[in-house]
Amino acid sequence: MQQQYRILVINPGSTSTKIGVFDNEVCIFEKTIRHETKEIAEFNQIIDQYEFRKKVILEQLDYEGINVSKLSAVCGRGGLLRPIEGGTYEVNDAMLHDLQIGYNGEHASNLGGIIAHEIASGLNIPSYIVDPVVVDELEDIARFSGVPEIPRKSIFHALNQKAVARRAAKDLNKPYDDIKLIVTHMGGGITVGAHQYGRVIDVNNGLHGDGPFSPERAGTVPAGDLVSLCFSGEYYRDEVMKKLVGGGGLVAYLQTNDARDVEERIENGDLEAKRVYEAMAYQIAKEIGSMSTVLKGKVDGIVLTGGLAYGKTFIDMISNYVSWIADILVYPGENELQALAEGALRVLRHEEVPKIYPQAEGKEMTI
């Protein structure tokens, strides 16, 4: 009989904390805890919130009748750490230090590992993080941008990409470490990764770098024109950044970041909405094609995931361009809590050895 492990997973956001309790792969409890703006405003820095959020989590679990003494492990969302390879990491002192000082910036996800460690330590059980956004497995050749001062960086939806890649490998009856996949996460940002034998050897910078435009990000824009815009005297730096992140993509063209709204407008005959939507699918397809060359045309599957993957019309638009490359597997949504639980479970079952977060200085990156 398979051993039963109970895992608490924690995914902090700017104004909420998502938690889940899993018995092996099965979620037995899930909750999004909303935090009032005035509660958050009492703290000068995000790091100062960890005691408050930890208390709220434990109170919620107690209210739901979940006995924390039965937990086998606690797993938190990884924060803005040093660039590291993918996998499950046991929280150690070096990681806690970097999360506490905001090594790569302040973000609510930094609280994930800290809270997990705080709760787990009191129960004498292990605490983990899984595939944080700073996962960096790029081949050296993929780092060249053409401007030595601006190397390409690995910033992508590592947690979901890695989780669905493993799921796709299982569905294809092949080990993740023996397979080549192109994984496309399509949410507020869009990242397309070339997964080769368990490593993401190339991926576009989905935050404010390159790649397709998305519901709210501009992706790659003509560099010379962007420079001219920056020095036109018409915009402050923050205004230009807003055009690239938050106010780009569908927001800029159609004044919405909701793909459901766009599809409804298309059904009602909005030709402009159709043109823009098709252009986004076209750019995603081009990026997938680009990653197929990285894998030298040997692709076991193309994986489409994220919120946009719920839209059949959008999936069909992309498929029409790339289905000749490889079979397409669709896994809608992000399922981050499930991915965190599965990462911890692989270690608890001794299917993987937990990785050690480094003490030494690593490559810095700016998020």
Side-chain angles (χ1 to χ4, degrees), residues 5-256:
Y5 294 104
R6 178 163 290 186
I7 304 163
L8 169 65
V9 296
I10 302 167
N11 184 7
S14 57
T15 59
S16 67
T17 304
K18 295 179 182 179
I19 61 172
V21 178
F22 288 75
D23 281 348
N24 289 351
E25 296 93 342
V26 178
C27 182
I28 63 169
F29 169 71
E30 182 176 340
K31 178 77 173 181
T32 298
I33 304 170
R34 308 288 179 185
H35 306 302
E36 296 291 336
T37 304
K38 63 181 180 180
E39 292 178 315
I40 299 297
E42 293 178 4
F43 302 97
N44 293 327
Q45 295 180 301
I46 290 175
I47 190 63
D48 299 329
Q49 300 173 18
Y50 85 88
E51 283 283 5
F52 159 73
R53 295 212 194 199
K54 176 184 131 181
K55 180 173 180 289
V56 171
I57 291 169
L58 292 175
E59 287 175 348
Q60 186 68 53
L61 293 173
D62 183 60
Y63 176 79
E64 298 292 339
I66 294 173
N67 186 349
V68 295
S69 68
K70 294 184 178 181
L71 293 175
S72 307
V74 186
C75 187
R77 181 71 184 270
L80 303 183
L81 296 159
R82 304 167 191 271
I84 52 178
E85 66 179 5
T88 300
Y89 288 76
E90 190 159 6
V91 180
N92 60 12
D93 289 342
M95 182 188 296
L96 289 172
H97 174 265
D98 284 352
L99 292 172
Q100 288 163 355
I101 67 170
Y103 180 86
N104 265 319
E106 277 201 88
H107 192 273
S109 61
N110 290 358
L111 297 168
I114 296 171
I115 298 172
H117 180 264
E118 286 283 316
I119 294 175
S121 293
L123 300 169
N124 198 29
I125 57 176
S127 56
Y128 304 105
I129 66 164
V130 181
D131 292 326
V133 68
V134 294
V135 166
D136 184 349
E137 298 168 339
L138 295 186
E139 295 285 296
D140 286 341
I141 198 169
R143 301 184 190 280
F144 286 84
S145 70
V147 179
E149 297 89 346
I150 312 175
R152 293 183 67 245
K153 297 173 182 175
S154 178
I155 306 176
F156 71 112
H157 305 89
L159 181 62
N160 190 44
Q161 281 216 22
K162 289 274 190 175
V164 297
R166 291 187 180 95
R167 182 175 170 187
K170 184 177 180 180
D171 288 345
L172 292 170
N173 294 313
K174 296 181 179 181
Y176 175 48
D177 291 346
D178 292 342
I179 202 169
K180 293 184 179 182
L181 298 169
I182 299 170
V183 181
T184 302
H185 176 104
M186 304 180 295
I190 293 173
T191 54
V192 183
H195 293 237
Q196 177 173 275
Y197 308 142
R199 298 177 65 82
V200 184
I201 62 171
D202 201 348
V203 65
N204 65 294
N205 179 337
L207 184 59
H208 46 64
D210 47 10
F213 74 77
S214 76
E216 54 189 37
R217 297 175 192 176
T220 301
V221 297
D225 292 337
L226 179 60
V227 171
S228 296
L229 188 74
C230 291
F231 287 91
S232 67
E234 297 181 24
Y235 302 98
Y236 291 107
R237 180 185 184 278
D238 289 348
E239 292 175 313
V240 174
M241 286 301 298
K242 184 68 174 178
K243 285 182 174 292
L244 300 178
V245 182
L250 294 186
V251 172
Y253 287 112
L254 302 174
Q255 293 73 57
T256 181

Side-chain angles (χ1 to χ4, degrees), residues 238-310:
D238 289 348
E239 292 175 313
V240 174
M241 286 301 298
K242 184 68 174 178
K243 285 182 174 292
L244 300 178
V245 182
L250 294 186
V251 172
Y253 287 112
L254 302 174
Q255 293 73 57
T256 181
N257 63 359
D258 191 335
R260 295 167 299 182
D261 178 42
V262 176
E263 293 199 357
E264 184 178 341
R265 286 160 65 171
I266 293 172
E267 289 176 6
N268 292 331
D270 188 330
L271 295 180
E272 181 62 14
K274 183 179 180 182
R275 288 177 64 242
V276 173
Y277 211 44
E278 287 178 343
M280 187 166 70
Y282 173 79
Q283 290 199 1
I284 292 170
K286 280 207 304 182
E287 195 73 16
I288 291 171
S290 173
M291 291 304 169
S292 74
T293 66
V294 170
L295 298 176
K296 300 178 181 177
K298 297 177 181 177
V299 183
D300 293 291
I302 296 170
V303 181
L304 304 178
T305 185
L308 291 176
Y310 283 109

